[in-house]
Amino acid sequence: MRKIFILVGILSVVFACGQEKKTINTKIMNIQYPEINATNFEQKLVESVKRYEKEPLYYMRINKSNCVVEVLVNDYPVHDDYELSNYATPLKINEAILKSGEQTFTYRLYPVGDLIKEEYGEGDTVTTLTDNTAIAISIVKMDNGSEKTLEDEEVIMKHTSLTDAKGSFIASGKPYYEFTFTFNAQVPYINEGWDKGQDLSKLDQKMLEAKAVAFYKEYGKIYENKDADLLAKLSFGLEKRNAIASYKKLSDVYSLWKEYLGDLNGNKIRVQAIENYRMFFFGNDRIVFLLSNKLKYPYRGGGALKIDYIDKDGDEAFFIPGIFLYLPEGKRLEDGLYMTN
């Protein structure tokens, strides 16, 4: 069993027992939901979800070859796959669909590097995409009340990567390829998400980086302090969006918070220094993320905050929480950033 967790949607949190609590500066790490705490998190989340006669769920099916891939819906990261194999089950993308209408789907392809050598014990390091690189994507819709089998799927659209006149991948020989297409989605809800965030690319970049780093550092103290109330406040916006988009029931929310609380039982928390990263924008430049520069799994695609701990079996492990930040309209960068809704 892999003792490593890279989490974006659900933030795993573990804490050491008996550690001296550290002062957390919530002026650096702004709170949008001060009324939320560990006691009412579940109830408030359930109250935010409305029920509908039809509850459409959108998924993607991806089949790739001779490449690794990152996927964004509406410029929000929903999936990455840095291995040779493919996922057999469809992957839900509702969390990035904020409202009905036209949605964008972007995939980024990269060479497989040393994956073939690591998998089979032989072969060369692959530094470019090849003639045989390919990806096929299907966007499918299912109803939340269905059995979610192949028979329940309605295919919205299909896409296959482009080839040249000889049938070779159009970006063969290149170290990177990106393509965006659109599809239409109809959902009964409207999530604000990051829509009302400011364009961060237009702000003072040095100050933005300093505020993001400061936020990440303060966030690490949550783990050291075992502060479930503050975790609930900061996680609520993200989980509210996901709950609304996935039409979550009480049992789903209960399992979610139980997982949060279960992670609080970890031992010997060690928050590592924030280093070797770069600022990266998502959400059409409304979200900032401190992306690790490491390209080896499981660090690749993860954030700059790494938490080491001892798991329940006494083994060393670590996780990397997904901390996506934005600045709501009308707020000043000087006053700090906020967790993305």
Side-chain angles (χ1 to χ4, degrees), residues 9 38 57 102 106 151 232 261 282 308 328:
L57 292 170
E102 186 176 82
T106 301
E151 290 73 20
L261 295 180
F282 293 110
D308 294 333

Side-chain angles (χ1 to χ4, degrees), residues 15 51 286:
F15 299 85
R51 311 310 314 184
R286 289 176 171 82

Side-chain angles (χ1 to χ4, degrees), residues 310-333:
I310 304 297
D311 69 12
K312 62 181 180 181
D313 298 320
D315 296 322
E316 292 185 356
F318 72 85
F319 66 95
I320 300 174
I323 305 172
F324 295 84
L325 305 175
Y326 86 130
L327 187 64
E329 293 176 349
K331 301 295 184 180
R332 301 190 320 149
L333 181 57

Side-chain angles (χ1 to χ4, degrees), residues 26-295:
T26 52
K27 292 183 179 180
I28 292 175
M29 193 167 52
N30 288 301
I31 305 298
Q32 294 189 85
Y33 301 95
E35 73 281 8
I36 302 299
N37 55 52
T39 301
N40 66 15
F41 180 88
E42 295 168 283
Q43 184 59 40
K44 292 296 185 181
L45 207 55
V46 170
E47 290 174 358
S48 69
V49 179
K50 296 181 179 180
R51 311 310 314 184
Y52 305 95
E53 181 178 351
K54 293 184 178 181
E55 297 179 337
L57 292 170
Y58 289 84
Y59 294 81
M60 61 181 177
R61 286 187 178 276
I62 293 182
N63 189 353
K64 68 182 189 334
S65 59
N66 295 293
C67 61
V68 297
V69 64
E70 297 169 352
V71 177
L72 303 94
V73 172
N74 296 320
D75 202 34
Y76 186 83
V78 296
H79 175 63
D80 55 49
D81 184 0
Y82 303 119
E83 300 182 1
L84 294 176
S85 58
N86 286 295
Y87 285 76
T89 56
L91 304 167
K92 187 166 61 177
I93 57 176
N94 273 54
E95 67 186 66
I97 298 176
L98 302 181
K99 57 187 176 183
S100 292
E102 186 176 82
Q103 320 292 324
T104 63
F105 188 106
T106 301
Y107 61 85
R108 297 167 176 165
L109 305 184
Y110 302 88
V112 298
D114 291 324
L115 291 179
I116 295 175
K117 287 199 296 184
E118 294 169 358
E119 182 78 15
Y120 301 107
E122 59 183 7
D124 298 322
T125 299
V126 182
T127 59
T128 66
L129 300 168
T130 72
D131 290 348
N132 296 321
T133 294
I135 188 168
I137 299 166
S138 295
I139 306 296
V140 300
K141 181 173 74 171
M142 287 183 266
D143 185 76
N144 189 40
S146 72
E147 296 297 324
K148 299 180 180 62
T149 64
L150 285 172
E151 290 73 20
D152 297 312
E153 291 185 4
E154 176 187 347
V155 178
I156 302 301
M157 72 167 299
K158 291 184 177 182
H159 169 84
T160 302
S161 51
L162 302 174
T163 58
D164 61 20
K166 297 180 179 179
S168 299
F169 178 56
I170 194 170
S172 178
K174 296 182 179 180
Y176 168 79
Y177 177 74
E178 178 175 319
F179 189 86
T180 298
F181 62 85
T182 61
F183 68 97
N184 189 271
Q186 296 298 317
V187 293
Y189 61 82
I190 297 178
N191 273 327
E192 179 181 308
W194 51 92
D195 263 358
K196 292 185 178 180
Q198 298 180 41
D199 186 340
L200 301 178
S201 68
K202 297 180 179 179
L203 304 181
D204 184 315
Q205 295 302 286
K206 288 185 177 180
M207 182 183 295
L208 177 63
E209 180 176 1
K211 294 297 183 181
V213 170
F215 194 113
Y216 274 52
K217 287 180 178 178
E218 294 301 303
Y219 198 90
K221 295 178 184 178
I222 296 176
Y223 309 135
E224 297 171 319
N225 286 2
K226 198 173 183 178
D227 194 335
D229 284 335
L230 187 51
L231 175 66
K233 296 179 194 298
L234 289 172
S235 303
F236 189 77
L238 166 69
E239 297 300 351
K240 178 182 177 181
R241 167 165 57 87
N242 290 343
I244 291 172
S246 298
Y247 321 105
K248 287 185 177 179
K249 302 179 177 64
L250 177 60
S251 58
D252 301 319
V253 173
Y254 174 77
S255 297
L256 170 69
W257 190 235
K258 185 178 179 181
E259 184 173 351
Y260 272 104
L261 295 180
D263 290 333
L264 292 176
N265 294 323
N267 296 312
K268 296 184 179 178
I269 282 289
R270 298 183 304 279
V271 177
Q272 301 302 312
I274 297 172
E275 57 189 12
N276 193 20
Y277 69 87
R278 66 185 185 276
M279 281 202 309
F280 205 89
F281 293 130
F282 293 110
N284 299 313
D285 296 334
R286 289 176 171 82
I287 298 172
V288 65
F289 181 70
L290 299 185
L291 177 69
S292 172
N293 286 326
K294 297 179 180 178
L295 296 180

